[in-house]
Amino acid sequence: MRKLTNVLVTGGAGFIGCNFIHVLLQKTPSFKGRVINLDALTYAGNAASLADVESDFGGSRYFFERADITDRAAVEAIFKKYDIDTVIHFAAESHVDRSILGPEAFIKTNVMGTFTLLDAARNFWADTNADGTKGIRSDVLFHHVSTDEVYGSLGDTGYFTETTPYDPRSPYSASKASSDHLVFAYHHTYGLPVTLSNCSNNYGPYHFPEKLIPLMILNMLEGKSLPVYGDGKNIRDWLFVEDHNTAVWAIVNKGRTGEKYNIGGENEWTNIDLLHRLIDIVAEKAKLDPAKVRSTITYVKDRPGHDRRYAIDCSKLKAELGWKQSVTFEQGLAKTVDWYLNNEKWVEGIKSGDYKNWVEKNYTAR
Ligand code: NAD
Ligand code: DAU
């Protein structure tokens, strides 16, 4: 039986991690434990995303530790300080474009960081088996959050399943694939209780505006051009972030140890079709002229090695754990646009920091 009492969430100040902490502490009454958020607060981490959680649960059920997952001593101290029994590992460098411009941070955080966490967990959870041999406690769990990008790129048909061979093609996806392999290596070699999930593209509140959907929303609101890579026909499978997180929590609770689960939206869109849909929603809500917004669409140089199509088969998760998506794409996009319109302070905070430098350096020239 898993304890799920002292839950270490890595990367909890990022997009998916902060949404996860909100879901767990505010919308999961069956969870009575503590959440320890370990985050280095890189450009993608934002403490402001958890201000409400901090004021409602800080010091009782929510604890923030600023640390780097590659820092072995810091990680070990956190395991000890909070008697961690569950790890939900979101922390990563997550943006494909940045991984093309500078892969080193991806190898460091995604590969070495995951290794450091796994090894610290193995040591902290060490136990003696009934026969006197060395083992690992069975009431603990290391859940690794990964991506569908590890499977590579699909043609016009077919889906990624849990048995699709790995074929990562960007420095980002290669680093995530390495981390996935390390997770299963620790399970098979040392008996570390693990689960793993590979999810498709998320969207929703608190999404850093270097990624397609929030970048486009903010550019529309500012009257800036809307940069579409290549021919705009690359396909992604979009999932509302809360649905990703309910799936992760279902796996952490009921997923079989040593198993991986695909998570997806069953919701494929070409980038250009998605953009037109988003323009309709933003134009209506922000009272903009949709034709004028459409005229700012700009086809730009393609992303090197741009994967053509991702599509997830998540039938294993649905059949075994009874999970399903809770919102349609229309509903999820409407919620997302509302969130950006209603959270100007958060947006302004982001814009005044690294985001501004990134956009100036990488987007204005195109
Ligand atoms: P994000 O970039 O928004 O957030 C990453 C968080 O990790 C940030 O808070 C950052 O400060 C923290 N972090 C980075 N390096 C760290 C380090 N060395 N030590 C400690 N903390 C560090 O990422 P996200 O979009 O929320 O993604 C979270 C996880 O989900 C990642 O593992 C990613 O690969 C995976 N994933 C993302 C998507 C998606 O669509 N965004 C889809 C599938 C899987
Ligand atoms: O599939 C899961 C992955 O989804 C996650 O593992 C990654 O962490 C996450 O960033 C996301 O990766 P993508 O590369 O698919 O997301 P991004 O938002 O960067 O791009 C989505 C699509 O839109 C992709 O085909 C590239 C295109 N694009 C993106 C940007 C930022 C554009 O056409 N213009 C843009 O300005």
Side-chain angles (χ1 to χ4, degrees):
M1 189 70 172
R2 292 174 188 153
K3 272 185 97 171
L4 305 181
T5 306
N6 294 319
V7 178
L8 179 66
V9 174
T10 72
F15 162 49
I16 306 177
C18 82
N19 277 287
F20 179 81
I21 293 174
H22 280 107
V23 165
L24 193 55
L25 287 174
Q26 295 174 341
K27 296 186 180 172
T28 314
S30 58
F31 174 68
K32 309 279 185 223
R34 306 192 294 176
V35 173
I36 297 87
N37 176 7
L38 187 176
D39 198 299
L41 296 183
T42 68
Y43 80 93
N46 189 346
S49 303
L50 288 156
D52 53 342
V53 167
E54 186 69 63
S55 79
D56 292 347
F57 300 97
S60 57
R61 295 183 60 210
Y62 173 73
F63 302 84
F64 178 70
E65 293 281 349
R66 185 171 190 179
D68 195 303
I69 55 168
T70 61
D71 181 343
R72 177 68 184 244
V75 168
E76 279 180 353
I78 291 167
F79 267 86
K80 205 166 156 201
K81 180 172 172 187
Y82 297 99
D83 191 19
I84 298 301
D85 51 59
T86 309
V87 175
I88 306 181
H89 176 32
F90 291 95
E93 288 292 340
S94 69
H95 190 36
V96 175
D97 291 336
R98 287 187 192 243
S99 85
I100 295 166
L101 292 167
E104 196 172 338
F106 288 71
I107 305 306
K108 193 165 172 262
T109 288
N110 301 358
V111 184
M112 287 306 294
T114 302
F115 157 73
T116 305
L117 284 168
L118 286 165
D119 213 50
R122 172 170 83 97
N123 280 349
F124 188 71
W125 293 336
D127 201 5
T128 308
N129 295 323
D131 62 1
T133 57
K134 278 189 182 167
I136 292 186
R137 282 165 54 183
S138 58
D139 60 349
V140 293
L141 182 72
F142 190 109
H143 179 78
H144 180 58
V145 178
S146 192
T147 170
D148 59 358
E149 298 198 12
V150 298
Y151 298 124
S153 183
L154 290 165
D156 291 343
T157 57
Y159 297 91
F160 297 134
T161 73
E162 285 81 359
T163 56
T164 301
Y166 277 30
D167 181 23
R169 298 148 66 94
S170 72
Y172 163 68
S173 54
S175 69
K176 291 297 289 187
S178 308
S179 66
D180 289 15
H181 290 317
L182 280 169
V183 170
F184 282 122
Y186 267 68
H187 176 64
H188 293 297
T189 309
Y190 304 114
L192 189 76
V194 305
T195 47
L196 192 151
S197 49
N198 298 95
C199 189
S200 63
N201 285 60
N202 286 215
Y203 69 97
Y206 304 104
H207 205 178
F208 194 83
E210 64 188 350
K211 311 278 168 59
L212 181 73
I213 288 182
L215 176 89
M216 293 298 181
I217 295 173
L218 297 192
N219 280 12
M220 286 178 211
L221 295 176
E222 288 181 37
K224 290 186 179 162
S225 73
L226 308 175
V228 175
Y229 297 169
D231 64 2
K233 302 257 175 67
N234 298 66
I235 291 177
R236 297 292 182 264
D237 168 7
W238 292 95
L239 178 68
F240 191 56
V241 63
E242 265 195 46
D243 287 339
H244 181 183
N245 285 324
T246 58
V248 166
W249 189 237
I251 296 166
V252 167
N253 277 270
K254 302 178 285 183
R256 284 182 291 140
T257 302
E259 288 288 319
K260 82 199 310 265
Y261 295 85
N262 280 353
I263 309 172
E266 300 176 299
N267 178 39
E268 290 180 52
W269 286 74
T270 62
N271 293 332
I272 190 67
D273 287 348
L274 186 163
L275 184 54
H276 281 296
R277 191 66 208 98
L278 195 57
I279 288 172
D280 291 337
I281 296 172
V282 173
E284 192 194 326
K285 287 183 183 288
K287 307 209 176 339
L288 303 173
D289 172 3
K292 202 167 161 206
V293 180
R294 252 179 258 290
S295 72
T296 64
I297 294 176
T298 313
Y299 286 89
V300 298
K301 197 163 160 269
D302 207 356
R303 171 186 281 173
H306 196 175
D307 288 339
R308 192 65 175 169
R309 173 172 169 257
Y310 303 144
I312 277 272
D313 175 344
C314 55
S315 52
K316 175 177 170 179
L317 175 68
K318 288 183 146 181
E320 273 189 30
L321 304 183
W323 171 87
K324 58 178 192 307
Q325 303 89 350
S326 72
V327 292
T328 63
F329 200 35
E330 287 295 301
Q331 292 166 331
L333 280 180
K335 280 183 183 214
T336 305
V337 172
D338 283 339
W339 190 87
Y340 281 92
L341 289 172
N342 294 330
N343 286 275
E344 272 174 45
K345 217 172 131 198
W346 186 93
V347 171
E348 285 312 316
I350 295 278
K351 279 190 193 161
S352 58
D354 183 74
Y355 168 72
K356 186 166 162 280
N357 304 332
W358 161 256
V359 170
E360 274 169 8
K361 220 167 82 197
N362 298 292
Y363 282 88
T364 44
R366 290 200 307 233

